[in-house]
Amino acid sequence: AEHQHARYNPLRDDWVLVSAHRVKRPWQGQVEKPPPEDVPRWDPNNPLCPGATRANGEVNPQYEGTFVFPNDFPALQPDAPEPGDSDHPLFRAAAARGVCKVMCFHPWSDLTLPLMSLVEIRAVIDAWAELAAELGASYPWVQIFENKGAMMGCSNPHPHCQVWASSFLPNEACLEDRTQRQHLSKHGVPMLLEYAEQEAIRKERLVVENADWLVVVPYWATWPYQTLLLPRRHVCHLQDLRDSERDSLASIMQRLLIKYDNLFEISFPYSMGWHGAPTGPYLKEDCGHWQLHAHYYPPLLRSATVRKFMVGYEMLAQAQRDLTPEQAAERLRSLPEVHYK
């Protein structure tokens, strides 16, 4: 807790430098604006609201629950042409095709997941699972992710996420596929299943838990209040979750996100996403080395207005954090589970 040291991340096969004493240094750098508290519940000029007109001229239905539609500015398209042949191994290109969708969580713009009911969060989980199964029938990778807050690049305050399905395995998926496969081969048990069992016993990095799930600040966390959401049962895909596991997932997500908001009493920014076994052609293969999990990467470090910057040493050498994962977990664990609002 007092002396710098490096910790190994077996999921990414890399290291993070832990320098807990640095959080005491004075700060005269960038100060962020807190997120707005006066978001209108409905705005006809907000393209994600029910009944609003989007950039492509389409009018949203008067939806009352979740709403999924094709991204009007997709990073991946299904009919992209093949790149030309390379004339040198240092100048390679490959085909990249896919589809991008947007999913609104709720018709109200002033709600976020921690302020939604368990029934409403469960509807989001069911929609995630349905999209994962639908797109995963043909695409090797389906990435569900939420960027929450302007600090994480979110351009619209309406509660929503994105789902990108790609014709290839992205870098992080390839890395986690390799490390989890190697762990199962060497130790005979899926890495994150064993890890969850160990964290449930040790408890020093545990934030919240229930019968089916646990949330920890991982031993190798990079971001200050980064968390990892893990099932207790071996499960490879979001769509494989039992009905009861989806209910308990809604509950533990709500508890975690309330704690996040309560930490600095703001709508807490983060990027989160689900990782599960590859799909499409990989559905015919044995992917038992995989374990479903969700990553939460929040940027805030000291307060609602001071964030952790991943620059300098982090970009040129390796990741570095300014408080121990155990300190972060203890602070989150001690927060109330009733929202400050």
Side-chain angles (χ1 to χ4, degrees), residues 119-142:
V119 172
E120 291 166 336
I121 299 173
R122 168 62 195 266
V124 170
I125 293 167
D126 287 339
W128 281 343
E130 184 178 341
L131 278 171
E134 174 192 333
L135 297 172
S138 53
Y139 285 101
W141 189 255
V142 180

Side-chain angles (χ1 to χ4, degrees), residues 112-340:
T112 54
L113 281 170
L115 295 173
M116 290 166 56
S117 70
L118 290 177
V119 172
E120 291 166 336
I121 299 173
R122 168 62 195 266
V124 170
I125 293 167
D126 287 339
W128 281 343
E130 184 178 341
L131 278 171
E134 174 192 333
L135 297 172
S138 53
Y139 285 101
W141 189 255
V142 180
Q143 184 59 65
I144 298 168
F145 65 96
E146 178 193 5
N147 294 327
K148 179 171 177 271
M151 201 180 299
M152 296 310 292
C154 183
S155 60
N156 192 308
H158 194 91
H160 71 286
C161 72
Q162 298 189 56
V163 184
W164 294 10
S166 61
S167 61
F168 54 91
L169 286 187
N171 293 343
E172 292 296 313
C174 287
L175 186 54
E176 290 193 3
D177 184 70
R178 175 176 63 81
T179 57
Q180 290 180 97
R181 188 185 299 274
Q182 289 173 342
H183 187 93
L184 180 64
S185 176
K186 184 175 182 180
H187 300 284
V189 60
M191 177 199 295
L192 292 181
L193 183 63
E194 181 179 11
Y195 179 68
E197 292 171 350
Q198 284 293 314
E199 289 287 31
I201 294 169
R202 296 168 187 255
K203 296 190 182 303
E204 58 187 332
R205 284 169 296 275
L206 191 65
V207 178
V208 287
E209 64 177 330
N210 61 27
D212 301 311
W213 301 87
L214 68 158
V215 176
V216 300
V217 177
Y219 177 79
W220 51 80
T222 298
W223 293 92
Y225 292 97
Q226 175 181 335
T227 54
L228 185 63
L229 173 56
L230 295 162
R232 295 183 187 271
R233 178 176 70 91
H234 186 206
V235 55
C236 292
H237 302 102
L238 197 58
Q239 55 268 37
D240 297 336
L241 293 176
R242 299 165 180 159
D243 193 66
S244 60
E245 290 170 328
R246 297 185 186 197
D247 284 339
S248 58
L249 175 57
S251 173
I252 204 164
M253 283 175 55
Q254 184 188 63
R255 293 169 63 196
L256 169 65
L257 297 179
I258 286 174
K259 284 180 177 290
Y260 269 160
D261 280 9
N262 285 346
L263 179 60
F264 299 129
E265 294 194 349
I266 58 161
S267 183
F268 203 70
Y270 58 75
S271 284
M272 70 80 65
W274 284 99
H275 281 174
T279 48
Y282 294 90
L283 293 172
K284 300 177 182 178
E285 298 183 8
D286 181 4
C287 289
H289 54 290
W290 270 89
Q291 174 74 326
L292 178 70
H293 59 282
H295 296 281
Y296 284 83
Y297 299 128
L300 291 176
L301 172 60
R302 297 166 179 246
S303 68
T305 58
V306 177
R307 66 183 296 177
K308 167 68 177 178
F309 287 91
M310 292 294 181
V311 295
Y313 190 86
E314 292 88 351
M315 295 177 70
L316 296 164
Q318 70 179 36
Q320 180 270 334
R321 61 178 291 117
D322 297 317
L323 74 166
T324 68
E326 294 75 25
Q327 291 167 335
E330 182 179 11
R331 187 166 184 187
L332 289 173
R333 188 169 54 244
S334 66
L335 290 167
E337 295 187 8
V338 176
H339 200 277
Y340 74 93

Side-chain angles (χ1 to χ4, degrees), residues 66-82:
T66 59
F67 170 50
V68 179
F69 62 92
N71 194 316
D72 297 328
F73 303 95
L76 293 164
Q77 296 177 321
D79 54 358
E82 290 277 349

